[in-house]
Amino acid sequence: MVFDNESKDLTQDEKFDVAIIGGGPAGCATALSLLKYGYSVVIMEKTDYNNLRVGEILPPKIQVPLSYLGIWKKFLNENNSSPSFTILSSWGKKELHENNFIFNPFGKGWHVNRCQFDAFLAHASESAGSRLYLKAKLVSFNLEDNNWKLKVACDNKLYHFKSRFLIDATGHQSAISLQFNANKIVHDKLIGIVCYLSPNSKMTSDNHLLIEAAECGWWYSAILPDQNIVVAYMTDADIYKHGIKKSTTFWNDELQKTIHTKSRLSSYPTQYILNVYSASSFHLDKVSGKGWLAVGDAAIAFDPLSSQGVWKSLQTGIHAAEAIKKYLENKENPLEEYSTWINKIFCNYLLERQKFYSSEKRWPDSDFWKRRN
Ligand SMILES: Cc1cc2nc3c(=O)[nH]c(=O)nc-3n(C[C@H](O)[C@H](O)[C@H](O)COP(=O)(O)OP(=O)(O)OC[C@H]3O[C@@H](n4cnc5c(N)ncnc54)[C@H](O)[C@@H]3O)c2cc1C
């Protein structure tokens, strides 16, 4: 809620070791890790988790950070996820290739409702001792005598906080880092045009992730725990813009050209509400500075093809907490080491992404594929 009167109900400065802006997976993982070290943490999240959120497919190795954070069993017991045993992909050829998780050391993958999953992480952080402000808006922040002074509007009140460290966990917006003159190095113009559909009748369980390459992008679909299906067309922003100029039903036109995705959707309604999300890969040229750092998508964003966005955000949160601990203990160069580590995982990711995209060669004249090969 936006505050409407600066003089109304001002609270006293309250001091925390670390203030986290953004309560997504990265922010919550950072909070949970810092709490393990005994630091006090405040999270300011601009929503109440009732907004639309994408990124529902979690790989089997998600078990590793969730176990480290002490919430793996809770995640399993919450019953808000459904297991996924297989990825079916038509990539490089028309026929489907089956990748069964039976050979994965961590077993199955998971499909989640992202609002519920993110709210679960936030409430786990709160139960572990974080202070959590929802619908909170950071009004101003500045560094004074090695302490951050933050003004936050929430519930029609203005709160004043002090913290020794500040974290940018605002996702794709990198809202804090950009104010420290960090620049986004953007590697593509990928967007996701996403819709959710309820089945016309009770479905048999086909809880696989389906990926299908197409002439101007690729599709994914997965059944979520509530039995709705998420379907996304991934293409470049300019290709989509050009496509909808020519045909307002571009998304559906492209869907009709697929084989497997079209067939999977045959028992779903044909009325779609589409939401468009930026899904570009990028990294910041600076992910940390005096008393601050960026975690998760705020620092580096991956292509959804990897299904590693959430996993990466949890991992960066865990590593960030270690760096912050060293920083607050006045150890040498922890933030530089964190930045080097972030650069390394982003470089590895770019190599993997290149390898994967270049294995699809069916449309050599398509701009989408030319840009990636
Ligand atoms: C179409 C699409 C499909 C995807 N599919 C997958 C997938 O299947 N699997 C996967 O692992 N990843 C997927 N991803 C990527 C994944 O969603 C992200 O990598 C992941 O959500 C990043 O987590 P995060 O915590 O870093 O950022 P976010 O999840 O973006 O969280 C940021 C949080 O900060 C809050 N916030 C933002 N600005 C402010 C502010 N100024 N003040 C306070 N709070 C703020 C937001 O409300 C949000 O809660 C997909 C992405 C897209 C676009």
Side-chain angles (χ1 to χ4, degrees):
M1 194 178 296
V2 178
F3 70 103
D4 53 19
N5 183 350
E6 283 230 11
S7 62
K8 198 170 171 185
D9 208 355
L10 288 182
T11 59
Q12 296 296 312
D13 276 4
E14 198 175 352
K15 193 160 177 186
F16 294 89
D17 291 314
V18 182
I20 300 176
I21 316 303
C28 294
T30 315
L32 282 163
S33 309
L34 287 165
L35 291 165
K36 276 175 173 249
Y37 294 131
Y39 291 114
S40 57
V41 177
V42 59
I43 304 174
M44 292 148 215
E45 162 58 39
K46 77 171 179 188
T47 71
D48 58 0
Y49 300 102
N50 282 320
N51 58 328
L52 268 184
R53 285 172 185 243
V54 276
E56 296 88 352
I57 292 109
L58 306 180
K61 66 179 176 183
I62 202 76
Q63 180 180 342
V64 177
L66 291 182
S67 298
Y68 172 83
L69 297 171
I71 52 175
W72 173 241
K73 286 204 172 122
K74 252 192 204 157
F75 169 76
L76 295 178
N77 292 338
E78 287 268 313
N79 232 0
N80 282 332
S81 55
S82 45
S84 165
F85 299 96
T86 314
I87 302 177
L88 294 179
S89 56
S90 162
W91 195 274
K93 57 184 172 56
K94 220 161 58 177
E95 295 74 28
L96 287 176
H97 171 79
E98 181 170 339
N99 179 6
N100 201 309
F101 288 140
I102 200 163
F103 302 112
N104 191 298
F106 300 108
K108 43 198 178 265
W110 301 91
H111 296 176
V112 296
N113 169 309
R114 268 302 295 280
C115 293
Q116 283 172 5
F117 180 72
D118 289 10
F120 157 75
L121 293 175
H123 291 127
S125 311
E126 195 178 28
S127 306
S130 296
R131 182 80 64 79
L132 174 65
Y133 288 89
L134 298 182
K135 291 190 160 188
K137 181 178 182 326
L138 183 61
V139 177
S140 66
F141 59 97
N142 62 302
L143 192 58
E144 269 178 32
D145 303 329
N146 290 329
N147 275 310
W148 291 101
K149 290 191 88 176
L150 309 154
K151 244 195 236 180
V152 176
C154 180
D155 266 344
N156 238 5
K157 288 184 195 130
L158 253 194
Y159 293 88
H160 291 232
F161 298 115
K162 277 188 180 167
S163 74
R164 298 161 71 198
F165 206 90
L166 181 63
I167 299 201
D168 183 357
T170 59
H172 253 235
Q173 299 179 15
S174 315
I176 308 299
S177 309
L178 295 186
Q179 299 208 35
F180 295 124
N181 297 325
N183 296 297
K184 269 189 185 179
I185 315 294
V186 182
H187 295 260
D188 56 50
K189 306 175 205 167
L190 192 71
I191 56 169
I193 306 110
V194 184
C195 82
Y196 298 87
L197 299 169
S198 306
N200 285 329
S201 56
K202 191 153 173 45
M203 302 292 297
T204 53
S205 86
D206 68 340
N207 214 351
H208 57 273
L209 166 63
L210 175 64
I211 296 177
E212 182 169 5
E215 185 175 357
C216 299
W218 56 275
W219 293 78
Y220 76 77
S221 58
I223 297 187
L224 302 179
D226 60 6
Q227 291 301 303
N228 288 342
I229 193 167
V230 55
V231 192
Y233 179 42
M234 308 301 301
T235 186
D236 284 337
D238 58 329
I239 296 175
Y240 186 62
K241 206 169 150 191
H242 184 71
I244 50 172
K245 243 190 211 166
K246 282 182 32 189
S247 161
T248 49
T249 55
F250 178 65
W251 191 89
N252 195 30
D253 301 345
E254 293 304 296
L255 173 65
Q256 296 313 314
K257 293 181 197 164
T258 65
I259 303 169
H260 311 288
T261 309
K262 183 173 78 170
S263 154
R264 189 181 206 187
L265 291 188
S266 58
S267 47
Y268 287 86
T270 48
Q271 298 291 324
Y272 310 112
I273 297 174
L274 303 176
N275 290 286
V276 181
Y277 297 88
S278 166
S280 57
S281 295
F282 71 81
H283 72 282
L284 293 183
D285 62 355
K286 176 164 89 175
V287 296
S288 65
K290 191 179 175 200
W292 73 274
L293 59 70
V295 285
D297 274 20
I300 43 172
F302 289 4
D303 190 314
L305 187 57
S306 68
S307 282
Q308 295 205 2
V310 173
W311 174 83
K312 169 265 298 164
S313 287
L314 298 177
Q315 290 293 115
T316 58
I318 292 168
H319 275 257
E322 208 182 307
I324 293 163
K325 177 176 183 288
K326 288 184 187 160
Y327 180 87
L328 295 177
E329 289 169 351
N330 294 319
K331 300 254 166 75
E332 246 179 62
N333 299 331
L335 301 187
E336 289 79 354
E337 281 168 18
Y338 173 75
S339 303
T340 306
W341 176 77
I342 286 274
N343 274 334
K344 197 169 139 198
I345 60 169
F346 193 72
C347 288
N348 288 342
Y349 152 73
L350 284 182
L351 288 173
E352 283 299 309
R353 168 178 167 266
Q354 162 77 25
K355 215 162 80 185
F356 211 81
Y357 273 111
S358 57
S359 65
E360 175 55 88
K361 300 195 186 307
R362 282 178 289 168
W363 298 281
D365 298 328
S366 151
D367 282 343
F368 182 86
W369 296 101
K370 272 198 278 189
R371 287 167 186 169
R372 286 161 176 82
N373 278 317

